[in-house]
Amino acid sequence: MALLSTLSAEVVNPDHPGRFRIARLRLVHEHVLEQVLAGLAANGRLIEGADPKFLARTLFSLLLSLTVREHTVRELQKTADGDPISDVQAFVQQVVAG
């Protein structure tokens, strides 16, 4: 995730030579998450009306963002607030039906 976060930050430059390759890699990861979430939806495990494709994009973006945060902001915090694992678990609990 740290590598993907770094690469994602670099490819905002339209002249980056690996821009499309990295974008495709991100799409592959999002697709895998979408398939997992679609499987949950098919088994009635997602909250009603949840869109697996949207959730996959959102979850992957959350993972990238939390990775960046973990290596920047968290080092400046004096408390244990903002644990990335807890944040991902809280997100998933919001969308997965109990």
Side-chain angles (χ1 to χ4, degrees):
M1 288 308 297
L3 174 60
L4 280 174
S5 296
T6 301
L7 293 173
S8 292
E10 291 177 1
V11 298
V12 296
N13 175 357
D15 297 326
H16 190 283
R19 183 171 186 222
F20 294 108
R21 182 172 286 158
I22 295 165
R24 280 192 301 268
L25 181 61
R26 180 180 177 133
L27 289 174
V28 167
H29 284 89
E30 289 176 0
H31 177 73
V32 169
L33 282 173
E34 180 184 347
Q35 295 306 302
V36 170
L37 292 163
L40 289 172
N43 290 309
R45 297 296 316 268
L46 283 188
I47 59 171
E48 189 174 329
D51 176 8
K53 189 171 196 134
F54 170 76
L55 289 176
R57 284 194 317 267
T58 304
L59 180 56
F60 194 73
S61 293
L62 173 65
L63 292 170
L64 288 176
S65 178
L66 288 173
T67 301
V68 172
R69 187 179 195 287
E70 183 68 10
H71 293 286
T72 56
V73 174
R74 185 151 169 165
E75 294 174 1
L76 302 173
Q77 290 180 313
K78 299 195 184 317
T79 65
D81 294 345
D83 174 56
I85 294 172
S86 297
D87 288 347
V88 172
Q89 288 172 333
F91 177 85
V92 170
Q93 288 172 353
Q94 294 293 316
V95 299
V96 174

